[in-house]
Amino acid sequence: MSSAGGLLDLSQGSRLVLAGEEWEVTSFVPQLGHVHLCSDAGQEMQTTVRALVNHPDCLASTSGSTVPAIHRGRQPGGLGDLTDRQREIVLIRYAHLMEAETGFRSGDRLRAAPEEPKPSYDPDLTTLTERRTAKVAELKALPEMEARAMGLHLISVRTLMRWAVNTRRFGLAGCIDGHWLRRTGDRPTVTPQIREAIFAVREESLHRARMSMKSKEALIHQYVRERFETEEEVVVPSYSTLWRVWREWFGPGGARQRYAASGARHKPTGQHIVVHRPGQVVALDTTVLPVLVRESVFGEPVSVHLTLALDVYSHSIVAFRLTLVSDTSTDVAMLVRDVMMPLPLREGWGDDMEWPYPGVPATLVAEFVGHRVAALPFFAPETITTDHGAVYKNHQLVDVQRVIGANILPARVLRPTDKQAVERAFGAIQSLLLEKLPGYRGVDVADRGTDPEVDAVLTIEQMEHLIARWVVRIWQNRQLGEYAPAWDPGGRHSPNSLIAAAMGQGGFALQIPSPDLYYELLRTHTVGLYDGRGVKIWTAPAMLEARVVGSQPVWAVVPRDRWNASSYSRGGMFPQ
């Protein structure tokens, strides 16, 4: 039987936890599905298998369970959860165990190796206990470093007995060291009273100045003495246990006190977004480029801002922009447009940087677009995650999401993990590329070189071309280390391979926005035309002349291109 908490053992005498209370199965009628439970307090309850399986708070009890602690409440560990070195150690352990159990390292008399069985392991002349004792003596005689490397320096007869029982149930996985797998989180010393004390001290520490874990431990002891003095003695766990529990429940606590207190006021929703296709979530963020550049060849060294658009599913840098001053809402709108536009294959880029994704040939994309396309995906984003900067919270961005049909969703306050992928991308770009460029300033003044202004030789245009080339050739083909999709957690993937896999699974929409999207995303202004003044507004295919009759003005809404002060509408001119 299985439930939300894992597999349930409903045999008579087994125990389970129901709504936080532990019950024992006194009888089970499988043909009728009836289960009779009894609590430690003597309370009895008649229920069914259907009710237990669908109960939201029903899980197997860890007390008295025959399942290894590392497997309780979750899928049992297997060889696929181990590294190559750990699998080799498991095979060595299994061979030693089989020699102690059967006298043969293969576990089968018919597949005996030369000179097997050894005299001390001959099943016809020795007993099982004698073979186990001889195996322990043999392993104890190994050099200490070799024994530690295989985890056999603490071997005993009881260890061999435990391995033998586990291998009968789980095969080779019975020799896996539980420390190699994820910890269970079961801490018997953290009783309900201790849990109450920890949360009470947590609430108190949020209102005080920052304190050490030793002070928090003292407050926990004080709370237990004052709150539970009338009850039987409550044993407080050791400092190391409290320290580990505090880190597991509340994090390492490296934030400033004011930020920790503000962040604790936002309760978690308990809901998680599972990103399973490109374009589902695109994260935007801006940072100051730590490399000084020149506005022109003979210009002064200046700092620019780098704005990134990162696809959260594939970790592809789908667009970026360099701005001389802090970015504006128009820059963000144009960045979103760049996400939807194919990147042209620039001069000097080789054929290895052309559109590489299978299923959609590069010639087809080039014919559809009108030029050769670089190896960078483009799509219409569904959700755009931003921070709470002023450029992301204005009326123009509201119009942008209406025009492109996306949902611009700001991250939660004091929750940088909502867009941690793009935050980490900035650090990766800095360590892989920017640190190697002349004019690099470091992360702060203390790390700055002697004179980075003199070292700055790249112009803004050259820097933009360099980053674009590096993104297409290096970043998109770089193997992702800690990130892997749910359908292949142990595989080796790059942003391009994930995009190709997504195209094979769900196809690709070869859609390119019209040129009118550029003007629809620009900031608009309302202009009044007064009596006695005429203006010519260019609207293809003819030049129309607008005259005003009377003293009332005529109002017109026109977009403004800040890169061209005299250009206002589609191919039109409206002078300031």
PDB file of all heavy atoms in Angstrom, residues 377-410:
ATOM      1  N   PRO A 377      18.287  30.256 -29.206  1.00  0.00           N
ATOM      2  CA  PRO A 377      16.839  30.082 -29.372  1.00  0.00           C
ATOM      3  C   PRO A 377      16.097  31.411 -29.265  1.00  0.00           C
ATOM      4  O   PRO A 377      16.570  32.366 -28.640  1.00  0.00           O
ATOM      5  CB  PRO A 377      16.479  29.148 -28.209  1.00  0.00           C
ATOM      6  CG  PRO A 377      17.517  29.397 -27.179  1.00  0.00           C
ATOM      7  CD  PRO A 377      18.776  29.691 -27.952  1.00  0.00           C
ATOM      8  N   PHE A 378      14.941  31.463 -29.867  1.00  0.00           N
ATOM      9  CA  PHE A 378      14.051  32.622 -29.757  1.00  0.00           C
ATOM     10  C   PHE A 378      12.623  32.113 -29.631  1.00  0.00           C
ATOM     11  O   PHE A 378      12.251  31.116 -30.243  1.00  0.00           O
ATOM     12  CB  PHE A 378      14.195  33.562 -30.961  1.00  0.00           C
ATOM     13  CG  PHE A 378      13.896  32.930 -32.290  1.00  0.00           C
ATOM     14  CD1 PHE A 378      12.621  33.011 -32.851  1.00  0.00           C
ATOM     15  CD2 PHE A 378      14.875  32.243 -32.990  1.00  0.00           C
ATOM     16  CE1 PHE A 378      12.338  32.433 -34.069  1.00  0.00           C
ATOM     17  CE2 PHE A 378      14.600  31.663 -34.212  1.00  0.00           C
ATOM     18  CZ  PHE A 378      13.339  31.753 -34.755  1.00  0.00           C
ATOM     19  N   PHE A 379      11.844  32.779 -28.820  1.00  0.00           N
ATOM     20  CA  PHE A 379      10.469  32.355 -28.561  1.00  0.00           C
ATOM     21  C   PHE A 379       9.737  33.498 -27.870  1.00  0.00           C
ATOM     22  O   PHE A 379      10.359  34.471 -27.413  1.00  0.00           O
ATOM     23  CB  PHE A 379      10.445  31.101 -27.679  1.00  0.00           C
ATOM     24  CG  PHE A 379      11.442  31.127 -26.552  1.00  0.00           C
ATOM     25  CD1 PHE A 379      11.262  31.952 -25.454  1.00  0.00           C
ATOM     26  CD2 PHE A 379      12.578  30.342 -26.602  1.00  0.00           C
ATOM     27  CE1 PHE A 379      12.181  31.987 -24.429  1.00  0.00           C
ATOM     28  CE2 PHE A 379      13.514  30.367 -25.580  1.00  0.00           C
ATOM     29  CZ  PHE A 379      13.304  31.200 -24.488  1.00  0.00           C
ATOM     30  N   ALA A 380       8.426  33.362 -27.804  1.00  0.00           N
ATOM     31  CA  ALA A 380       7.598  34.331 -27.078  1.00  0.00           C
ATOM     32  C   ALA A 380       7.518  33.893 -25.620  1.00  0.00           C
ATOM     33  O   ALA A 380       7.014  32.812 -25.319  1.00  0.00           O
ATOM     34  CB  ALA A 380       6.205  34.402 -27.693  1.00  0.00           C
ATOM     35  N   PRO A 381       8.026  34.670 -24.673  1.00  0.00           N
ATOM     36  CA  PRO A 381       8.000  34.258 -23.268  1.00  0.00           C
ATOM     37  C   PRO A 381       6.576  34.242 -22.715  1.00  0.00           C
ATOM     38  O   PRO A 381       5.729  35.050 -23.099  1.00  0.00           O
ATOM     39  CB  PRO A 381       8.870  35.304 -22.575  1.00  0.00           C
ATOM     40  CG  PRO A 381       8.785  36.509 -23.459  1.00  0.00           C
ATOM     41  CD  PRO A 381       8.648  35.985 -24.864  1.00  0.00           C
ATOM     42  N   GLU A 382       6.340  33.309 -21.804  1.00  0.00           N
ATOM     43  CA  GLU A 382       5.039  33.213 -21.142  1.00  0.00           C
ATOM     44  C   GLU A 382       5.013  33.996 -19.834  1.00  0.00           C
ATOM     45  O   GLU A 382       4.071  34.730 -19.570  1.00  0.00           O
ATOM     46  CB  GLU A 382       4.703  31.742 -20.878  1.00  0.00           C
ATOM     47  CG  GLU A 382       4.668  30.886 -22.143  1.00  0.00           C
ATOM     48  CD  GLU A 382       4.428  29.432 -21.809  1.00  0.00           C
ATOM     49  OE1 GLU A 382       3.858  29.147 -20.745  1.00  0.00           O
ATOM     50  OE2 GLU A 382       4.799  28.553 -22.620  1.00  0.00           O
ATOM     51  N   THR A 383       6.029  33.818 -19.010  1.00  0.00           N
ATOM     52  CA  THR A 383       6.146  34.517 -17.729  1.00  0.00           C
ATOM     53  C   THR A 383       7.527  35.129 -17.631  1.00  0.00           C
ATOM     54  O   THR A 383       8.524  34.459 -17.921  1.00  0.00           O
ATOM     55  CB  THR A 383       5.910  33.569 -16.543  1.00  0.00           C
ATOM     56  OG1 THR A 383       4.619  32.982 -16.664  1.00  0.00           O
ATOM     57  CG2 THR A 383       6.005  34.320 -15.229  1.00  0.00           C
ATOM     58  N   ILE A 384       7.602  36.388 -17.235  1.00  0.00           N
ATOM     59  CA  ILE A 384       8.867  37.099 -17.082  1.00  0.00           C
ATOM     60  C   ILE A 384       9.011  37.466 -15.611  1.00  0.00           C
ATOM     61  O   ILE A 384       8.166  38.166 -15.058  1.00  0.00           O
ATOM     62  CB  ILE A 384       8.921  38.352 -17.974  1.00  0.00           C
ATOM     63  CG1 ILE A 384       8.758  37.959 -19.453  1.00  0.00           C
ATOM     64  CG2 ILE A 384      10.213  39.113 -17.766  1.00  0.00           C
ATOM     65  CD1 ILE A 384       8.678  39.146 -20.386  1.00  0.00           C
ATOM     66  N   THR A 385      10.080  36.994 -14.993  1.00  0.00           N
ATOM     67  CA  THR A 385      10.336  37.262 -13.585  1.00  0.00           C
ATOM     68  C   THR A 385      11.377  38.370 -13.470  1.00  0.00           C
ATOM     69  O   THR A 385      12.449  38.280 -14.073  1.00  0.00           O
ATOM     70  CB  THR A 385      10.837  35.997 -12.869  1.00  0.00           C
ATOM     71  OG1 THR A 385       9.860  34.975 -13.011  1.00  0.00           O
ATOM     72  CG2 THR A 385      11.059  36.271 -11.397  1.00  0.00           C
ATOM     73  N   THR A 386      11.069  39.396 -12.692  1.00  0.00           N
ATOM     74  CA  THR A 386      11.965  40.539 -12.505  1.00  0.00           C
ATOM     75  C   THR A 386      12.091  40.818 -11.013  1.00  0.00           C
ATOM     76  O   THR A 386      11.430  40.199 -10.178  1.00  0.00           O
ATOM     77  CB  THR A 386      11.420  41.780 -13.220  1.00  0.00           C
ATOM     78  OG1 THR A 386      10.191  42.188 -12.589  1.00  0.00           O
ATOM     79  CG2 THR A 386      11.150  41.489 -14.688  1.00  0.00           C
ATOM     80  N   ASP A 387      12.968  41.763 -10.688  1.00  0.00           N
ATOM     81  CA  ASP A 387      13.042  42.225  -9.306  1.00  0.00           C
ATOM     82  C   ASP A 387      12.136  43.444  -9.154  1.00  0.00           C
ATOM     83  O   ASP A 387      11.257  43.685  -9.995  1.00  0.00           O
ATOM     84  CB  ASP A 387      14.482  42.524  -8.913  1.00  0.00           C
ATOM     85  CG  ASP A 387      15.147  43.524  -9.853  1.00  0.00           C
ATOM     86  OD1 ASP A 387      14.419  44.230 -10.574  1.00  0.00           O
ATOM     87  OD2 ASP A 387      16.390  43.593  -9.872  1.00  0.00           O
ATOM     88  N   HIS A 388      12.349  44.217  -8.101  1.00  0.00           N
ATOM     89  CA  HIS A 388      11.457  45.339  -7.820  1.00  0.00           C
ATOM     90  C   HIS A 388      12.109  46.679  -8.154  1.00  0.00           C
ATOM     91  O   HIS A 388      11.833  47.689  -7.498  1.00  0.00           O
ATOM     92  CB  HIS A 388      11.046  45.301  -6.342  1.00  0.00           C
ATOM     93  CG  HIS A 388      10.156  44.150  -6.009  1.00  0.00           C
ATOM     94  ND1 HIS A 388       8.784  44.240  -5.971  1.00  0.00           N
ATOM     95  CD2 HIS A 388      10.447  42.860  -5.725  1.00  0.00           C
ATOM     96  CE1 HIS A 388       8.265  43.068  -5.658  1.00  0.00           C
ATOM     97  NE2 HIS A 388       9.254  42.204  -5.498  1.00  0.00           N
ATOM     98  N   GLY A 389      12.972  46.703  -9.188  1.00  0.00           N
ATOM     99  CA  GLY A 389      13.547  47.960  -9.626  1.00  0.00           C
ATOM    100  C   GLY A 389      12.505  48.860 -10.266  1.00  0.00           C
ATOM    101  O   GLY A 389      11.442  48.419 -10.724  1.00  0.00           O
ATOM    102  N   ALA A 390      12.838  50.148 -10.310  1.00  0.00           N
ATOM    103  CA  ALA A 390      11.876  51.119 -10.833  1.00  0.00           C
ATOM    104  C   ALA A 390      11.572  50.876 -12.300  1.00  0.00           C
ATOM    105  O   ALA A 390      10.457  51.147 -12.763  1.00  0.00           O
ATOM    106  CB  ALA A 390      12.417  52.542 -10.631  1.00  0.00           C
ATOM    107  N   VAL A 391      12.555  50.371 -13.063  1.00  0.00           N
ATOM    108  CA  VAL A 391      12.322  50.174 -14.497  1.00  0.00           C
ATOM    109  C   VAL A 391      11.329  49.044 -14.752  1.00  0.00           C
ATOM    110  O   VAL A 391      10.741  48.960 -15.838  1.00  0.00           O
ATOM    111  CB  VAL A 391      13.650  49.874 -15.218  1.00  0.00           C
ATOM    112  CG1 VAL A 391      14.579  51.059 -15.128  1.00  0.00           C
ATOM    113  CG2 VAL A 391      14.318  48.634 -14.637  1.00  0.00           C
ATOM    114  N   TYR A 392      11.154  48.145 -13.788  1.00  0.00           N
ATOM    115  CA  TYR A 392      10.231  47.029 -13.969  1.00  0.00           C
ATOM    116  C   TYR A 392       8.852  47.304 -13.388  1.00  0.00           C
ATOM    117  O   TYR A 392       7.959  46.455 -13.497  1.00  0.00           O
ATOM    118  CB  TYR A 392      10.792  45.770 -13.307  1.00  0.00           C
ATOM    119  CG  TYR A 392      12.150  45.369 -13.821  1.00  0.00           C
ATOM    120  CD1 TYR A 392      13.271  45.433 -13.005  1.00  0.00           C
ATOM    121  CD2 TYR A 392      12.323  44.937 -15.129  1.00  0.00           C
ATOM    122  CE1 TYR A 392      14.522  45.064 -13.469  1.00  0.00           C
ATOM    123  CE2 TYR A 392      13.575  44.573 -15.605  1.00  0.00           C
ATOM    124  CZ  TYR A 392      14.665  44.641 -14.764  1.00  0.00           C
ATOM    125  OH  TYR A 392      15.902  44.280 -15.229  1.00  0.00           O
ATOM    126  N   LYS A 393       8.675  48.451 -12.748  1.00  0.00           N
ATOM    127  CA  LYS A 393       7.391  48.758 -12.094  1.00  0.00           C
ATOM    128  C   LYS A 393       6.882  50.107 -12.594  1.00  0.00           C
ATOM    129  O   LYS A 393       6.900  51.108 -11.870  1.00  0.00           O
ATOM    130  CB  LYS A 393       7.568  48.780 -10.574  1.00  0.00           C
ATOM    131  CG  LYS A 393       8.082  47.470  -9.998  1.00  0.00           C
ATOM    132  CD  LYS A 393       8.446  47.575  -8.526  1.00  0.00           C
ATOM    133  CE  LYS A 393       7.247  47.902  -7.672  1.00  0.00           C
ATOM    134  NZ  LYS A 393       7.582  47.928  -6.245  1.00  0.00           N
ATOM    135  N   ASN A 394       6.468  50.157 -13.850  1.00  0.00           N
ATOM    136  CA  ASN A 394       5.904  51.383 -14.393  1.00  0.00           C
ATOM    137  C   ASN A 394       4.846  51.015 -15.424  1.00  0.00           C
ATOM    138  O   ASN A 394       4.631  49.845 -15.748  1.00  0.00           O
ATOM    139  CB  ASN A 394       7.008  52.271 -15.010  1.00  0.00           C
ATOM    140  CG  ASN A 394       7.852  51.517 -16.015  1.00  0.00           C
ATOM    141  OD1 ASN A 394       7.330  50.774 -16.836  1.00  0.00           O
ATOM    142  ND2 ASN A 394       9.167  51.689 -15.929  1.00  0.00           N
ATOM    143  N   HIS A 395       4.204  52.036 -15.944  1.00  0.00           N
ATOM    144  CA  HIS A 395       3.080  51.812 -16.853  1.00  0.00           C
ATOM    145  C   HIS A 395       3.527  51.256 -18.192  1.00  0.00           C
ATOM    146  O   HIS A 395       2.775  50.529 -18.848  1.00  0.00           O
ATOM    147  CB  HIS A 395       2.313  53.124 -17.057  1.00  0.00           C
ATOM    148  CG  HIS A 395       1.656  53.623 -15.796  1.00  0.00           C
ATOM    149  ND1 HIS A 395       0.565  53.008 -15.241  1.00  0.00           N
ATOM    150  CD2 HIS A 395       1.968  54.663 -14.978  1.00  0.00           C
ATOM    151  CE1 HIS A 395       0.200  53.654 -14.143  1.00  0.00           C
ATOM    152  NE2 HIS A 395       1.037  54.663 -13.955  1.00  0.00           N
ATOM    153  N   GLN A 396       4.748  51.579 -18.620  1.00  0.00           N
ATOM    154  CA  GLN A 396       5.184  51.073 -19.916  1.00  0.00           C
ATOM    155  C   GLN A 396       5.320  49.553 -19.904  1.00  0.00           C
ATOM    156  O   GLN A 396       4.967  48.878 -20.862  1.00  0.00           O
ATOM    157  CB  GLN A 396       6.513  51.706 -20.321  1.00  0.00           C
ATOM    158  CG  GLN A 396       6.948  51.282 -21.726  1.00  0.00           C
ATOM    159  CD  GLN A 396       8.219  51.956 -22.177  1.00  0.00           C
ATOM    160  OE1 GLN A 396       8.828  52.705 -21.419  1.00  0.00           O
ATOM    161  NE2 GLN A 396       8.634  51.704 -23.406  1.00  0.00           N
ATOM    162  N   LEU A 397       5.839  48.989 -18.802  1.00  0.00           N
ATOM    163  CA  LEU A 397       5.952  47.533 -18.731  1.00  0.00           C
ATOM    164  C   LEU A 397       4.588  46.870 -18.677  1.00  0.00           C
ATOM    165  O   LEU A 397       4.410  45.742 -19.142  1.00  0.00           O
ATOM    166  CB  LEU A 397       6.790  47.141 -17.524  1.00  0.00           C
ATOM    167  CG  LEU A 397       8.277  46.877 -17.785  1.00  0.00           C
ATOM    168  CD1 LEU A 397       8.434  45.659 -18.674  1.00  0.00           C
ATOM    169  CD2 LEU A 397       8.945  48.085 -18.426  1.00  0.00           C
ATOM    170  N   VAL A 398       3.594  47.565 -18.098  1.00  0.00           N
ATOM    171  CA  VAL A 398       2.227  47.039 -18.126  1.00  0.00           C
ATOM    172  C   VAL A 398       1.720  46.950 -19.560  1.00  0.00           C
ATOM    173  O   VAL A 398       1.083  45.965 -19.960  1.00  0.00           O
ATOM    174  CB  VAL A 398       1.293  47.907 -17.259  1.00  0.00           C
ATOM    175  CG1 VAL A 398      -0.148  47.423 -17.378  1.00  0.00           C
ATOM    176  CG2 VAL A 398       1.745  47.889 -15.808  1.00  0.00           C
ATOM    177  N   ASP A 399       2.019  47.984 -20.353  1.00  0.00           N
ATOM    178  CA  ASP A 399       1.634  47.946 -21.768  1.00  0.00           C
ATOM    179  C   ASP A 399       2.409  46.879 -22.529  1.00  0.00           C
ATOM    180  O   ASP A 399       1.874  46.250 -23.449  1.00  0.00           O
ATOM    181  CB  ASP A 399       1.872  49.324 -22.406  1.00  0.00           C
ATOM    182  CG  ASP A 399       0.959  50.388 -21.822  1.00  0.00           C
ATOM    183  OD1 ASP A 399      -0.109  50.013 -21.295  1.00  0.00           O
ATOM    184  OD2 ASP A 399       1.326  51.578 -21.878  1.00  0.00           O
ATOM    185  N   VAL A 400       3.671  46.660 -22.150  1.00  0.00           N
ATOM    186  CA  VAL A 400       4.488  45.655 -22.836  1.00  0.00           C
ATOM    187  C   VAL A 400       3.893  44.266 -22.658  1.00  0.00           C
ATOM    188  O   VAL A 400       3.756  43.499 -23.622  1.00  0.00           O
ATOM    189  CB  VAL A 400       5.939  45.707 -22.327  1.00  0.00           C
ATOM    190  CG1 VAL A 400       6.723  44.485 -22.803  1.00  0.00           C
ATOM    191  CG2 VAL A 400       6.623  46.980 -22.798  1.00  0.00           C
ATOM    192  N   GLN A 401       3.525  43.915 -21.432  1.00  0.00           N
ATOM    193  CA  GLN A 401       2.965  42.577 -21.217  1.00  0.00           C
ATOM    194  C   GLN A 401       1.610  42.413 -21.898  1.00  0.00           C
ATOM    195  O   GLN A 401       1.228  41.310 -22.282  1.00  0.00           O
ATOM    196  CB  GLN A 401       2.864  42.283 -19.730  1.00  0.00           C
ATOM    197  CG  GLN A 401       1.851  43.097 -18.963  1.00  0.00           C
ATOM    198  CD  GLN A 401       1.735  42.638 -17.512  1.00  0.00           C
ATOM    199  OE1 GLN A 401       2.245  41.588 -17.140  1.00  0.00           O
ATOM    200  NE2 GLN A 401       1.065  43.442 -16.692  1.00  0.00           N
ATOM    201  N   ARG A 402       0.891  43.508 -22.080  1.00  0.00           N
ATOM    202  CA  ARG A 402      -0.367  43.433 -22.818  1.00  0.00           C
ATOM    203  C   ARG A 402      -0.114  43.207 -24.300  1.00  0.00           C
ATOM    204  O   ARG A 402      -0.806  42.422 -24.959  1.00  0.00           O
ATOM    205  CB  ARG A 402      -1.174  44.718 -22.614  1.00  0.00           C
ATOM    206  CG  ARG A 402      -2.449  44.775 -23.441  1.00  0.00           C
ATOM    207  CD  ARG A 402      -3.111  46.129 -23.293  1.00  0.00           C
ATOM    208  NE  ARG A 402      -2.224  47.225 -23.642  1.00  0.00           N
ATOM    209  CZ  ARG A 402      -1.962  47.613 -24.885  1.00  0.00           C
ATOM    210  NH1 ARG A 402      -2.526  46.977 -25.909  1.00  0.00           N
ATOM    211  NH2 ARG A 402      -1.151  48.630 -25.120  1.00  0.00           N
ATOM    212  N   VAL A 403       0.923  43.847 -24.830  1.00  0.00           N
ATOM    213  CA  VAL A 403       1.204  43.739 -26.261  1.00  0.00           C
ATOM    214  C   VAL A 403       1.740  42.352 -26.621  1.00  0.00           C
ATOM    215  O   VAL A 403       1.298  41.729 -27.584  1.00  0.00           O
ATOM    216  CB  VAL A 403       2.197  44.842 -26.694  1.00  0.00           C
ATOM    217  CG1 VAL A 403       2.655  44.619 -28.135  1.00  0.00           C
ATOM    218  CG2 VAL A 403       1.547  46.208 -26.553  1.00  0.00           C
ATOM    219  N   ILE A 404       2.693  41.852 -25.829  1.00  0.00           N
ATOM    220  CA  ILE A 404       3.324  40.574 -26.180  1.00  0.00           C
ATOM    221  C   ILE A 404       2.561  39.382 -25.628  1.00  0.00           C
ATOM    222  O   ILE A 404       2.871  38.234 -25.963  1.00  0.00           O
ATOM    223  CB  ILE A 404       4.783  40.532 -25.691  1.00  0.00           C
ATOM    224  CG1 ILE A 404       4.827  40.525 -24.156  1.00  0.00           C
ATOM    225  CG2 ILE A 404       5.573  41.692 -26.259  1.00  0.00           C
ATOM    226  CD1 ILE A 404       6.231  40.390 -23.603  1.00  0.00           C
ATOM    227  N   GLY A 405       1.564  39.633 -24.774  1.00  0.00           N
ATOM    228  CA  GLY A 405       0.766  38.532 -24.230  1.00  0.00           C
ATOM    229  C   GLY A 405       1.465  37.730 -23.163  1.00  0.00           C
ATOM    230  O   GLY A 405       1.137  36.553 -22.951  1.00  0.00           O
ATOM    231  N   ALA A 406       2.435  38.321 -22.460  1.00  0.00           N
ATOM    232  CA  ALA A 406       3.157  37.633 -21.389  1.00  0.00           C
ATOM    233  C   ALA A 406       2.709  38.174 -20.042  1.00  0.00           C
ATOM    234  O   ALA A 406       2.020  39.197 -19.950  1.00  0.00           O
ATOM    235  CB  ALA A 406       4.663  37.802 -21.558  1.00  0.00           C
ATOM    236  N   ASN A 407       3.119  37.487 -18.998  1.00  0.00           N
ATOM    237  CA  ASN A 407       2.805  37.884 -17.630  1.00  0.00           C
ATOM    238  C   ASN A 407       4.106  38.272 -16.955  1.00  0.00           C
ATOM    239  O   ASN A 407       4.965  37.420 -16.719  1.00  0.00           O
ATOM    240  CB  ASN A 407       2.121  36.732 -16.886  1.00  0.00           C
ATOM    241  CG  ASN A 407       1.777  37.112 -15.463  1.00  0.00           C
ATOM    242  OD1 ASN A 407       1.616  38.293 -15.162  1.00  0.00           O
ATOM    243  ND2 ASN A 407       1.683  36.124 -14.596  1.00  0.00           N
ATOM    244  N   ILE A 408       4.282  39.546 -16.654  1.00  0.00           N
ATOM    245  CA  ILE A 408       5.471  40.022 -15.951  1.00  0.00           C
ATOM    246  C   ILE A 408       5.210  39.892 -14.464  1.00  0.00           C
ATOM    247  O   ILE A 408       4.395  40.606 -13.883  1.00  0.00           O
ATOM    248  CB  ILE A 408       5.804  41.473 -16.345  1.00  0.00           C
ATOM    249  CG1 ILE A 408       6.104  41.550 -17.850  1.00  0.00           C
ATOM    250  CG2 ILE A 408       6.990  41.985 -15.544  1.00  0.00           C
ATOM    251  CD1 ILE A 408       6.450  42.932 -18.335  1.00  0.00           C
ATOM    252  N   LEU A 409       5.903  38.959 -13.835  1.00  0.00           N
ATOM    253  CA  LEU A 409       5.663  38.607 -12.439  1.00  0.00           C
ATOM    254  C   LEU A 409       6.881  38.971 -11.612  1.00  0.00           C
ATOM    255  O   LEU A 409       7.925  38.319 -11.709  1.00  0.00           O
ATOM    256  CB  LEU A 409       5.373  37.106 -12.318  1.00  0.00           C
ATOM    257  CG  LEU A 409       5.057  36.565 -10.931  1.00  0.00           C
ATOM    258  CD1 LEU A 409       3.756  37.165 -10.419  1.00  0.00           C
ATOM    259  CD2 LEU A 409       4.974  35.052 -10.961  1.00  0.00           C
ATOM    260  N   PRO A 410       6.816  40.021 -10.774  1.00  0.00           N
ATOM    261  CA  PRO A 410       7.973  40.378  -9.939  1.00  0.00           C
ATOM    262  C   PRO A 410       8.245  39.291  -8.894  1.00  0.00           C
ATOM    263  O   PRO A 410       7.342  38.584  -8.445  1.00  0.00           O
ATOM    264  CB  PRO A 410       7.541  41.693  -9.279  1.00  0.00           C
ATOM    265  CG  PRO A 410       6.389  42.192 -10.093  1.00  0.00           C
ATOM    266  CD  PRO A 410       5.711  40.982 -10.640  1.00  0.00           C
TER     267      PRO A 410
END
